[in-house]
C-alpha cells in the first residue's frame, strides 16, 4: 500500500470517527435533556431497519456504477457522458427514495406538517399572500407558517403553487419534480469543473457525483431543488467568465442567483463560490453587467408584489430562536454539523479533501490547483454557515447545495472503484437503517 493511499484511508477514518463521536455524544445529550431535538443524532432521522421496492434497483445501480462508471466516464463522448450521469443519478435517487415505498418515500415527503404543500391553498391570490407573508412568520402570530415555509423566502412555496396551477399538484408530482431537478445538479458541477479546471478531472469526478450519498436527501426534501438552481447558477457563471456567450449565460446565471435568494436565505453564501468562479475565469469583467441585470429580475418581481426580503429575514431570526434553534446547543452542533456532512458527501470525499489540500500546497498542476480553489470556496461557505449559529442540525439536507461542490475533490483519488463502493455502501446503509423524512 503506497503512502498516499494510506493517508487517504487515515482521512476517511478520521471522518468516520467524527461520525461515531457525534452519534455517541449526541445520543447521550439527547437522552439526558432532549435538547438536540433529533431522534438519531446527528441526523434528523428515526432508527427503523427496513427494505422496500427500491432495494433491488438501488443495489443494481450501485453495482453497475462501481463496476463500469470509471471506465465509461473515461471514454464516453462528453455530451453523452453528461446525459448518462443525469440518467444514472435519476436511477440512483429514485431507487433510494423507493426503498421507503411510493407514499412514504416520495408522495408524502413534502406534505408533512412542516412542509410547503401544506399551505398551497393559502396562495390562491399570490400577490396578496406575498404581501401578507411576513405577518405569519413568528410562532405567536395567527395562522403562523409551517417551519419550512417560515424558514425560507417564499420562492420555494411559489414554485409548488405554480406546479399545482399547471395540474401537477400533490406530493407525488412535487417529489418527482424535486428528484428530476435535483439530479441535474451533478451535470452542472461537471460542466463547471471542465470549464474551470479540465475535462480529465471532470471525467474522474463523474461517477462520484452519481453515487453521492446525499442522493438520500435529494429524494426527500426541497433542498435538492435548491441544489440544482445554485449549481446551474454557478455553471452558467463559469460559461460566462470563460467566454462562452457571456451575454446570455451571464443573464441566466444572474437570474438563477436572484432566484436562490428567494429559495433560502442561507444560499446568499453562494457569493463565496461565485467569487472563486470569477477568480478562475479568463474574462471576469465582461459578463458582470449581464449577471447583475439578470440578478435583479427576481428581487424586483417579489418586491413589487409586496414581499420584503429584509424584514422577513429579521423575523426569521426571531422565529429560529423561538423554535428548536433556540434550544439546540451550539457547542454540539458547531462540530456535529460536519458529521452530518460526512453522511452527504461520503468517506471518499473526506479523502478527496485531503488530496485537495496536498494539491494546493504542492502546486504541481495548474488544473489541480484550480479545482482545489473551487472546492475550498465551497468549504469556506460551509464554515461561515456553521459558525453563524443559524445552521444547527438538519444540515444533511440544508447543506446539500454547498456539499455538492466538495464531491469533485474525489477526482484526485486513486482506486476509484473501492471508493465508489464505500460511497454506495454508506447511502444504502443510511436508507435501509433509518427513516430520513421531515
Amino acid at each position: 500500500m503506497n503512502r498516499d493511499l494510506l493517508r487517504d484511508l487515515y482521512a476517511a477514518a478520521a471522518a468516520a470517527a467524527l461520525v461515531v463521536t457525534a452519534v455517541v455524544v449526541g445520543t447521550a445529550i439527547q437522552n439526558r435533556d432532549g435538547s438536540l431535538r433529533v431522534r438519531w443524532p446527528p441526523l434528523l432521522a428515526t432508527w427503523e431497519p427496513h427494505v422496500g421496492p427500491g432495494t433491488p434497483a438501488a443495489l443494481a445501480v450501485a453495482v453497475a456504477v462501481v463496476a463500469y462508471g470509471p471506465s465509461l466516464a473515461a471514454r464516453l463522448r462528453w455530451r453523452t457522458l453528461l446525459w448518462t450521469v443525469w440518467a444514472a443519478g435519476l436511477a440512483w435517487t429514485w431507487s433510494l427514495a423507493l426503498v421507503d415505498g411510493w407514499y412514504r418515500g416520495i408522495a408524502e415527503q413534502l406534505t408533512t406538517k412542516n412542509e410547503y404543500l401544506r399551505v398551497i391553498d393559502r396562495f390562491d391570490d399570490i400577490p396578496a399572500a406575498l404581501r401578507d407573508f411576513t405577518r405569519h412568520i413568528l410562532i405567536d402570530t395567527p395562522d403562523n407558517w409551517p417551519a419550512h415555509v417560515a424558514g425560507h423566502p417564499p420562492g420555494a412555496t411559489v414554485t409548488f403553487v405554480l406546479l399545482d396551477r399547471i395540474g401537477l399538484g400533490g406530493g407525488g408530482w412535487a417529489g418527482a419534480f424535486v428528484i428530476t431537478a435535483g439530479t441535474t445538479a451533478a451535470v452542472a458541477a461537471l460542466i463547471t469543473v471542465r470549464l474551470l479546471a479540465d475535462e480529465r478531472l471532470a471525467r474522474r469526478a463523474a461517477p462520484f457525483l452519481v453515487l453521492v450519498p446525499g442522493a438520500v436527501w435529494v429524494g426527500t426534501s426541497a433542498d435538492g431543488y435548491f441544489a440544482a438552481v445554485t449549481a446551474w447558477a454557478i455553471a452558467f457563471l463559469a460559461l460566462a467568465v470563460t467566454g462562452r456567450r457571456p451575454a446570455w449565460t451571464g443573464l441566466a446565471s444572474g437570474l438563477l442567483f436572484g432566484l436562490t435568494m428567494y429559495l433560502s436565505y442561507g444560499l446568499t453564501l453562494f457569493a463565496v463560490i461565485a467569487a472563486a468562479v470569477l477568480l478562475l475565469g479568463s474574462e471576469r469583467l465582461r459578463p458582470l453587467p449581464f449577471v447583475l441585470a439578470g440578478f435583479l429580475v427576481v428581487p424586483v418581481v417579489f418586491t413589487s408584489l409586496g414581499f420584503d426580503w429584509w424584514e422577513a429575514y429579521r423575523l426569521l431570526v426571531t422565529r429560529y430562536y423561538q423554535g428548536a434553534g433556540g434550544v439546540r446547543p451550539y457547542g454540539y452542533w458547531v462540530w456535529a454539523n460536519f458529521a452530518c456532512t460526512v453522511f452527504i458527501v461520503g468517506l471518499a470525499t473526506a479523502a478527496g479533501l485531503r488530496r485537495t489540500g496536498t494539491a494546493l500546497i504542492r502546486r504541481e498542476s495548474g488544473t489541480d490547483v484550480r479545482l482545489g480553489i473551487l472546492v475550498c470556496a465551497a468549504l469556506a461557505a460551509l464554515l461561515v454557515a456553521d459558525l453563524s449559529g443559524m445552521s444547527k442540525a438538519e444540515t444533511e439536507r440544508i447543506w446539500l447545495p454547498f456539499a455538492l461542490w466538495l464531491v469533485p475533490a474525489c477526482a484526485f483519488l486513486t482506486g476509484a472503484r473501492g471508493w465508489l463502493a464505500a460511497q454506495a455502501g454508506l447511502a444504502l446503509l443510511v436508507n435501509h437503517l433509518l427513516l430520513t423524512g421531515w
Side-chain angles (χ1 to χ4, degrees), residues 36-54:
L36 299 188
R37 299 291 181 92
V38 294
R39 295 183 180 179
W40 199 85
L43 301 179
L44 185 61
T46 304
W47 178 263
E48 188 175 323
H50 61 286
V51 295

Side-chain angles (χ1 to χ4, degrees), residues 76-148:
L76 287 176
R77 293 179 58 186
W78 177 250
R79 290 189 179 182
T80 304
L81 174 62
L82 295 180
W83 284 104
T84 303
V85 165
W86 186 28
L90 275 171
W92 178 235
T93 307
W94 272 104
S95 60
L96 287 173
L98 289 171
V99 168
D100 297 334
W102 169 255
Y103 289 102
R104 190 166 66 173
I106 296 172
E108 296 178 353
Q109 289 292 340
L110 294 169
T111 63
T112 57
K113 65 177 183 178
N114 291 323
E115 285 288 359
Y116 304 97
L117 268 62
R118 298 294 288 238
V119 301
I120 295 294
D121 59 345
R122 293 172 63 179
F123 277 75
D124 289 337
D125 184 337
I126 293 177
L130 293 177
R131 288 192 299 270
D132 201 43
F133 192 89
T134 56
R135 297 176 188 172
H136 304 287
I137 292 177
L138 299 181
I139 286 179
D140 53 5
T141 55
D143 297 321
N144 62 77
W145 298 119
H148 287 184

Side-chain angles (χ1 to χ4, degrees), residues 86 90 93-94 97 102 105-107 109-110 116-117 120 155-164 166-185 217-229 232 256 259 263:
W86 186 28
L90 275 171
T93 307
W94 272 104
W102 169 255
I106 296 172
Q109 289 292 340
L110 294 169
Y116 304 97
L117 268 62
I120 295 294
T157 306
V158 170
T159 298
F160 294 114
V161 169
L162 295 177
L163 284 174
D164 183 76
I166 63 173
L168 303 180
W173 283 114
F177 167 76
V178 167
I179 292 173
T180 303
T183 48
T184 68
W217 291 277
V218 171
T220 61
S221 74
D223 295 85
Y225 163 46
F226 302 167
V229 174
W232 284 107
L256 292 174
L259 177 58
L263 294 176

Side-chain angles (χ1 to χ4, degrees), residues 232-248:
W232 284 107
I234 292 294
F236 279 120
L237 183 61
L239 285 164
V241 299
T242 52
R244 273 73 168 181
R245 299 181 180 179
W248 80 262

Side-chain angles (χ1 to χ4, degrees), residues 191-204:
I191 291 170
T192 303
V193 172
R194 183 185 187 228
L195 289 168
L196 299 180
D198 67 8
E199 188 172 318
R200 173 186 61 88
L201 290 170
R203 288 178 177 276
R204 289 176 62 88

